[in-house]
Amino acid sequence: MGWLGLGLVLVMVLGLVWMLPVEPVWAASGGISGSGGVGSNGSNGTSGAAIARLERVPLTLPLLQERLKSPMKLEGARVIDLRRTVIDLRPENSAFREQFYRLLRGQLRSQTPPGIDLSYSEILGEFQIGELGLAASLYGQPLLPLLGETEQAQLARDRRRLAQLSQLSRSLLIQSQPVALQLSVFPGPLTLVQTRFDGFANFSNTFFMGRVEAQGAIFGQTVDWSEARFSKAVNLSGAGFRGEARFRNAIFFKRAQFSQGQFQGDANFQASEFRDTANFSQSVFQQRANFSRVQWLGPADFAQTRWQGRAMFDRSSFGRSLFFTEAVFETRMSFRQAQFNQPVNLRGATVLEQLDFGDASFAAKTYVNVATLQFNAEKAKILGNPGQLGRVLSVPALQGNETTLRSLIRNFRLLEQIPDVNQIEYLREKLRLQELRQQLFGTNLNTASPARLVQVGFSSSQAEAIAQARGQQPFRSLPDLLKLSGIDLATYVKVQHRVVAGNPQGILGTLGNALNGLGLVLLLSLSRYGTNVWLILGVGMVALSYFALLFWFIDRVRRLHPTPILPRLTETVAMLGGAGTLGLAGLSAILRTAETPWLTLLYLGLLAIPIPLAMLIVIYRRGRFHDLMEVSYFVEDGSLRQLRLLIGRLPNIPNFPFFRDRYTPIPWDRGWNWLNYLDFSLNNLLKFGFNDIRLRDQHVPGLITALAWYQWSLGLIYFALLLWTLSRTIPGLNLLIYFK
């Protein structure tokens, strides 16, 4: 009985296993839902992959005729149902192939042409969409009334272009007679959801009037969409291109979806046109991708794409934003001679070899967001025109982007593109200043009261959540806010420039930040952090002319009574004209080169006007009653006349009798005397000049001496800033400056 019972149990187990369905486990969990999926077409909810495997049947002529007689309704339109079939169009099945195209063509040429649904089907052999469409010659025939105004205009442009090409060919004796090229018009929607094409698929020279839905379609060999026109939206999401994918000279009038596409062969979109949004997000390009001379009139989304082969966007035009967020470029990516009219987003992208923006043009206010861009400057390169690319690269904040900025600086140094190095360093210091301001005036998340957080922009519940979270662990960075369940992205964007995270700083730390911020403001506004020679020279010319005019006024306008000591009219006109011309030249340089010229002039005025103006007021309120009233305060070294560097020169002569024999007062009775004041200001500010002009050591009011020393002190700072700027902007000059 033991062996008999064991045998019965074994038979029962085998019977149960035999009765189980044969559907694979992975198929039962797959499929695509939505308008193109099986569920939307009236199926019982089983996944698309399982239906394709279990219910795919060979398409015969009787079955085809049956499907043609009873088209189904899909979103209000008639559609020929050829789903879940195997269509054999191979040469050995030529009889069926001819009948297949003939019968379908007859249906599509009716008054109300239906669409075709080939979802989950498998097509063997070559598939020709042109055999199903309505033929319309591009030469001599009237436009089809089926086309709208936009499509008719495009068809007219195609006619003109082909006519010009034909004329050129005849002129070069390539062809003797014009060829009446045909354009196939496919009037209804075409659904190819998870359709498999085992052979060559030809969709070229076709004007698709309806939607094209091909989510998850598999093209086993080359697929050709060249010269295709898509009047409605196109959806090729998740499509697999195992051979070459040709979309050359195609035009997409509406949204084009290529997201999650697998391009295993070459992808050729050369000279195509996207008039609406183009979405290639999460696609993989394993071979060469050619997007050269493409017109992108809508946003182009290549977020999270992976480029394993060379990609070319040369001479393309981007009318809207371009997104390469978190994309990976394993080989060369070229944007040579491309035109960018809106921002380019490379946030989180990875460059492993080369990113080339050579000869690209960027519209005003167009920038390239390289926040958290990852690349090794020793192995990868970012190329562009010197002095241009650095101006358009941008990151929103310093925190989290220090490594990216250092890599960019290293990249441009290795390429010897010094202007771009300076632009990146200028950007880094601007962000550092922004960070210092936020630390000084921002609200600290770790110390602010809930009431203060509400004033900043948080809601009451959010403020309480922040208070509870910081009690467990202090905030270290602003992105930690997004980890709280009650903080959404909109709130974070609203308050990110008003709050700071970190340990609170004491009085000394706050004072240090304030001094650093003040020094950084002056460096950025007066010289763009040592990156612009013309700006610092413009600042110097304005300061030089201002102080020259000030010293001339103090020296020549002494009193009105009892005996007036005033300059002649000709001297006044000459001085005002000379100093004014020099000052206007410097002002012009500031206005042309400064990022915020009025802020630059404000800081320059704060350095040059308040203290000298206060001294001037005190001097004239006190009056001057001393000896040598009719002799100039300024003396010149009469023993030598030459252009010389006067770094060690002080603004007044020593109190030693023998020096008075060498220094004589500058003449008041010469028409060119006004040049001496410019020379004195030049000596004080730039530390070189034609003559050694200084203040005399006898009978000089102390405030005049203090004013000369004040300019001399500013001159030391200015001279150091000028040398620093020259060494950063002129390669090799630093060797001459530092090793002279």
Side-chain angles (χ1 to χ4, degrees), residues 457-459 462 481 486-496:
F458 294 101
S459 64
Q462 290 173 343
L481 280 174
I487 307 296
D488 55 2
L489 183 59
T491 303
Y492 176 80
V493 172
K494 182 175 66 174
V495 304
Q496 63 177 339

Side-chain angles (χ1 to χ4, degrees), residues 519-722:
L520 198 53
V521 163
L522 294 177
L523 288 176
L524 293 173
S525 60
L526 299 182
S527 68
R528 290 179 61 93
Y529 200 73
T531 63
N532 196 304
V533 175
W534 285 109
L535 177 57
I536 190 64
L537 289 178
V539 169
M541 287 188 286
V542 172
L544 189 151
S545 60
Y546 166 75
F547 278 101
L549 188 61
L550 192 63
F551 284 117
W552 170 82
F553 187 80
I554 291 175
D555 192 35
R556 297 295 287 118
V557 182
R558 298 200 177 184
R559 67 187 183 190
L560 298 177
H561 58 82
T563 304
I565 302 178
L566 299 172
R568 296 187 300 272
L569 179 61
T570 55
E571 181 182 351
T572 302
V573 173
M575 185 63 198
L576 293 178
T581 301
L582 184 62
L584 288 176
L587 181 62
S588 175
I590 292 175
L591 294 177
R592 285 186 294 104
T593 58
E595 184 176 6
T596 53
W598 301 114
L599 192 60
T600 299
L601 293 174
L602 174 62
Y603 290 131
L604 179 59
L606 291 176
L607 291 174
I609 294 179
I611 295 179
L613 182 61
M615 292 181 179
L616 190 66
I617 293 174
V618 173
I619 289 173
Y620 280 95
R621 287 191 63 182
R622 289 180 179 178
R624 280 171 277 184
F625 307 96
H626 54 74
D627 295 337
L628 302 178
M629 277 293 292
E630 297 185 357
V631 179
S632 175
Y633 294 127
F634 301 96
V635 293
E636 62 177 345
D637 184 1
S639 63
L640 191 64
R641 288 183 180 274
Q642 65 180 16
L643 181 65
R644 44 192 165 175
L645 195 62
L646 303 170
I647 296 179
R649 163 202 168 277
L650 299 179
N652 58 344
I653 65 173
N655 188 12
F656 189 65
F658 290 108
F659 276 91
R660 298 172 192 163
D661 297 336
R662 293 173 51 191
Y663 288 88
T664 59
I666 60 175
W668 277 2
D669 56 348
R670 298 290 189 271
W672 44 263
N673 179 53
W674 60 276
L675 291 172
N676 289 316
Y677 301 98
L678 288 173
D679 198 7
F680 176 75
S681 184
L682 186 68
N683 292 340
N684 274 351
L685 199 65
L686 292 179
K687 310 306 178 186
F688 76 93
F690 297 94
N691 298 320
D692 185 7
I693 300 179
R694 310 191 193 190
L695 284 175
R696 71 191 187 196
D697 64 325
Q698 290 180 317
H699 306 295
V700 179
L703 288 177
I704 297 179
T705 304
L707 184 60
W709 277 96
Y710 181 73
Q711 189 201 14
W712 185 85
S713 302
L714 292 179
L716 280 181
I717 301 174
Y718 176 80
F719 188 66
L721 185 58
L722 178 62

Side-chain angles (χ1 to χ4, degrees), residues 18 26 95 122 133 144 178 250 257 273 392 404-405 419 446 451 479 522 524 543 552 626 675 682 722:
W18 181 263
W26 63 267
E122 183 177 5
L144 293 176
Q257 286 276 7
E273 185 173 337
V392 298
T404 297
L405 293 175
N446 295 320
L522 294 177
L524 293 173
W552 170 82
H626 54 74
L675 291 172
L682 186 68
L722 178 62

Side-chain angles (χ1 to χ4, degrees), residues 175-188:
Q175 65 181 34
S176 58
Q177 297 295 330
V179 178
L181 298 179
Q182 296 291 327
L183 176 68
S184 175
V185 178
F186 194 86

